Every structure is written in C-alpha cells, then in structure tokens.
Amino acid sequence: MLIRVLSGSLTGLSGDLVHVEVDILRGLPGYHIVGLAGTAIREAQLRIQSAMRNSGVEYPPRKIAVNLAPAGTRKEGTHFDLPIALGITAASGSVCLGSWADTAFFGELSFDGRLLGIRGALPLVLGAREKGIRRVVVPAANAEEVSLVDDITIHPCGSLRQVLDVISGRLPAPQRNNAVRPHAVQRSAGLDFGDVAGQDAAKRAFVIAASGAHGMLMVGSPGCGKSMMAARMTSILPPLSRQEQMEVTKIYSVAGLLGEDLPWIEQRPFRSPHHSITRQALLGGGAVPRPGEFSLAHYGVLFLDELGEFGQDLLDSLRQPLEEDKVTIVRSGGAVTFPGKVILIAASNPCRCGHLGDPLKACTCTPQELRRYRSRLSGPFMERIDLHLTIPRVAYGKEKTGMTSEEMRSLVMRARQAQEVRFCGTEILFNSQIPAAALNGYCRMETDAERFLQEAGTKLGLSMRTFHKTLRVARTIADIDGKETVGTAQIAEALQYRPKEEESVY
C-alpha cells in the first residue's frame, strides 16, 4: 500500500516541502530509497529498523521502497527518520494516518526509539507553514525553538512510540503554544563602557559606529583597551526585534548551534573568530553549505582582533559580503545565500612589536618588518571600513570616567529612530547603506558645510569613495546631535575618522 507522509528539506535558510512516499513491493526483502537522498538519509535504515522494534512495532521483512519527492532536488538531514518510519508503519498496516495525513513530521530516531533534536527545525517549520501546513510534529528538544512560529500547531513528542499512540488516538496530542515573549533587553554579559578608563574619543566613535552600522578599525599599542571596548559594543545596541530574532535564530538553527539551553537567540550576536580561521569557517560553505562566522554575526558584531594576523586573501574575501550584506555560496547543486548585516569592528597593533608611536616604549621593528606587516591589509579592504581611529595608551591609575553603556545607548537609539523615519518605505536601514546616487537627497548639507567638504576633498586628495563615506558618517553624527541637516562641525568630525597615512597599518 502506498503511503505519503509530509516532511521538508533545507536549502540554505529556506525550508521546502517534501513528500515521503513509502510502498511495500513484491520481491526480496530490502530497503531502497530514491530521490537524491544524502548520506544521512541513506543510512537511516538501521536507525529506523531498531527504533521500530524497540517501540513495539514490527519492521516488515518485505521489499520497502522510499521516494523523496520532488526527486530532482537534493535532500540532507536526519529529520527524515520519523516520516520514513511512519510511512513504513502505515504501509504495513500497523497504523492509519487518517486526519494526520496533512501534518508535517520531523525528527531523528535513536536505536531505542527516542526522538532526538534536529538541526534546522525553525526554517523547516517556517517552510511548512508557507506551503499551507498548519500542524507539525517535532522532537520535544526543538519545541521551544519552533514556538517562535505563529499560525501553526506544534506537537512536540519524545519518542516514536508516543507519536504512534497520538496518531492512533491512544494518547492525547501534546501541544506547545506559540511563544509570546516580553520585549527583549540587550545585554552584554554584564559588560559596560563605564568600566573603561578614559578613551572618551573612542567611546564617541563607538556611538557613531553603532548608530549608523559603520565599520571601525582601532589601531593602538597592546593593552590600550581595544578588545575591552569591542567586547562592550553589543551593550549599546538596541535589542533585537521579533523579526530580527527570527532571522538570527534561523541561522543558528541551520548551523546546529541551538539546543534546549539555547532554544532561540535573544541578544545581538558578538562573534570573534581567531585569526587562524579558514575561509569556509568565516564565510560559510561545505558540501552541504552551512553559515560561517560572518552570517552568525547577522544583526550583531563581527570582531576581528589582531587584524594584521589574518591572511590577506581571507580579508579580501570579506569585501563583497561587507558591501552586499550577504554571502552567496555556489555548489554544483545550486547557489545558497546566507545574510550578514554585520557591524565590523577590527583591532590591530601599529606594527609587529606593537609599539610604533608609543610614547613610553620604542618600536623594535625594522623597516622591512614594518613594510611586511602593513602589506597584509590591502587598500581596497581598508576602504570598506568607515571609521579609522588611533587608540592612545591610558595612564595607569586613571579614573573610570566618561559615558556608560546606558548613556551611549540612548544616543544610539535617538540616531536610529531618526534613520527609521528617514528610510521608511525603503530597503535602507542605516546611513552606512545609503547608495551614492541618493546621498544628496538623504544627506542635505548646509551651504558652509558643502563648501568645507569640497575644499577638504581637494586639499586632502580624497577619492570619491572616501568623499561619500565621509558624508555618510557626517549624516550619522548629525543624527546623534539631533540635527536635520549636516553642518560644518559634523563634516569636520567625520574627516577625523578617515585613514591617515602616518597612522594607518597598510
């Protein structure tokens, strides 16, 4: 008897509906699966056979054929265990799906019949809902994660035996209500900019970077506080909206980083990969593409410490993702896109020994070492960073003064509210994303400010890219200051953040 059970497959962050067709045929006993099934699916026979027998269900000693439709798309994942097992059980006459025929099933089986948590549960359930499915059965371990999805009934189960008893009516169907969460509050593990001694100019730059989503590079001697301040960046960012939570949680779900202790993402991500990271781990990839650190920092902060230690090819590979806010991975089976709207924060020593320009310690690097160290960072990559600032050494015993994270966040919120009004009805979110063609419309300057910027551009030899970047940063500074138009003071401050030849690391 032919049985169809609904399930789904993942393509990047998208879930597609899959019909699991099971038929018991005449012929020698065997298990045959078609429909471009991945290795984990082809290996499912032993898991399914053992789970059925340990759940009190006979595994039929017959020729079992399984088709995953549509057959032309590749399927991966262990979540097909449950629908295949249900199909075999129903095809052998041990259970009747009946009213559950329009339900999508997801779950990995252990040998003893328990349902284990799966990777990508949230996008799978979202994909099922988009295809009109209104009821899903998922492992109990994924119940909290998928409760983010509205307009769908969720039945979390702990074992194959429980699923069969629910379908046959011997047990009531467990149900997980859709989550209604209080408004999130952004935290940063108790870290506060009030803990940072001095560095008022750097704190101002962090406010600008957080307000307009501008990338920032800090250059300074070891121990001046670069990493300490970067770790506090998320403490001044606004909390994630519900839509942003959904997008970030989908990425972490596909990456397999969620669990019962972390069912969804509530805080803005802060990712700090080591400089030995590979391109695949940074941008994503693999035979079955998964998101990398760049996408895991979506709507958050990507911090690259010791920037000069990263490979030049690796950094140059970030240029296009930083411009497009996404990573596209092309494989023989098609292209997969992972989003990456990140704020890039980078830190670097001025030289190999770290003491170039330090008033207390002399630099011991030779000219060749300086040239080699600076050549690791290409000019095109550095031009993708909006704010360049030098972090001075802080004197020992200096009091912790200046703005706290709460005070800085209030400035960021005011600037972001101004941008929300300005870009309403467009795809632009932040000042850093304003297209060059739209700068005149969104960044209206006072007459004196326009003349000042033109004179500065001529005198300093600014490229058109740097000219536009300065104007975007000035627009953000004006939003922080509560100004409708960009004035001379905002232009002058923005020009201070351009890379200076004597301070740059390239």
Side-chain angles (χ1 to χ4, degrees), residues 24 185 238 253 423 498:
I24 297 181
V185 177
S253 179
F423 303 129
R498 68 182 184 85

Side-chain angles (χ1 to χ4, degrees), residues 176-478:
R176 178 66 168 84
N177 295 327
N178 301 107
V180 178
R181 313 196 200 295
H183 186 67
V185 177
Q186 181 64 31
R187 302 179 181 88
S188 185
L191 302 178
D192 194 290
F193 269 97
D195 301 330
V196 180
Q199 304 296 7
D200 292 338
K203 291 181 180 181
R204 171 71 172 182
F206 270 93
V207 170
I208 297 171
S211 299
H214 300 284
M216 181 170 65
L217 169 64
M218 299 176 286
V219 179
S221 301
C224 64
K226 304 186 295 296
S227 301
M228 183 181 183
M229 290 187 288
R232 287 156 173 75
M233 178 64 165
T234 56
S235 69
I236 65 174
L237 294 173
L240 289 169
S241 66
R242 185 173 177 85
Q243 180 60 35
E244 290 173 339
Q245 281 187 37
M246 185 80 74
E247 290 186 35
V248 178
T249 302
K250 282 171 60 178
I251 296 173
Y252 278 70
S253 179
V254 170
L257 298 179
L258 297 181
E260 295 186 55
D261 57 335
L262 183 67
W264 56 79
I265 304 299
E266 289 186 306
Q267 305 297 318
R268 292 192 180 270
F270 178 86
R271 307 295 296 188
S272 180
H274 191 262
H275 59 76
S276 62
I277 191 172
T278 64
R279 181 180 300 187
Q280 178 176 312
L282 180 63
L283 298 179
V288 180
R290 295 192 187 186
E293 290 290 330
F294 182 82
S295 296
L296 291 173
H298 186 47
Y299 288 129
V301 176
L302 178 65
F303 177 48
L304 302 183
D305 200 5
E306 303 295 345
L307 188 67
E309 301 298 329
F310 285 81
Q312 181 177 343
D313 292 343
L314 186 67
L315 293 179
D316 285 341
S317 67
L318 280 172
R319 286 158 49 186
Q320 185 173 353
L322 286 172
E323 285 189 351
E324 299 180 353
D325 293 331
K326 62 183 180 182
V327 176
T328 300
I329 302 168
V330 181
R331 293 291 182 267
S332 58
V336 173
T337 298
F338 296 115
K341 292 182 173 66
V342 307
I343 299 177
L344 176 67
I345 304 296
S348 177
N349 294 328
C351 62
R352 184 70 179 178
C353 74
H355 300 297
L356 181 67
D358 193 315
L360 300 181
K361 291 187 178 182
C363 175
T364 60
C365 298
T366 65
Q368 293 79 9
E369 289 175 331
L370 285 174
R371 192 179 306 111
R372 190 182 307 114
Y373 187 79
R374 294 172 176 178
S375 65
R376 296 184 181 185
L377 305 180
S378 68
F381 169 76
M382 298 294 281
E383 283 192 339
R384 267 65 178 182
I385 301 177
D386 293 348
L387 307 176
H388 297 250
L389 63 152
T390 301
I391 307 297
R393 177 188 292 273
V394 178
Y396 178 76
K398 185 176 180 62
E399 293 186 8
K400 298 175 182 178
T401 58
M403 292 187 291
T404 63
S405 289
E406 185 177 354
E407 294 169 336
M408 295 168 69
R409 191 188 310 114
S410 64
L411 296 176
V412 172
M413 293 297 294
R414 179 168 67 180
R416 290 211 171 189
Q417 288 169 2
Q419 293 170 81
E420 186 176 349
V421 173
R422 179 181 305 120
F423 303 129
C424 181
T426 72
E427 295 183 356
I428 304 173
L429 298 177
F430 307 109
N431 291 329
S432 61
Q433 300 172 338
I434 301 176
L439 279 172
N440 290 334
Y442 287 123
C443 304
R444 292 185 295 108
M445 290 185 287
E446 299 172 359
T447 303
D448 292 343
E450 187 172 3
R451 186 184 307 112
F452 177 73
L453 180 58
Q454 290 176 350
E455 292 176 355
T458 302
K459 183 177 297 185
L460 299 175
L462 302 181
S463 67
M464 191 58 65
R465 184 193 297 272
T466 304
F467 187 90
H468 292 161
K469 186 188 304 179
T470 301
L471 189 52
R472 294 186 186 99
V473 173
R475 176 67 269 176
T476 299
I477 296 173

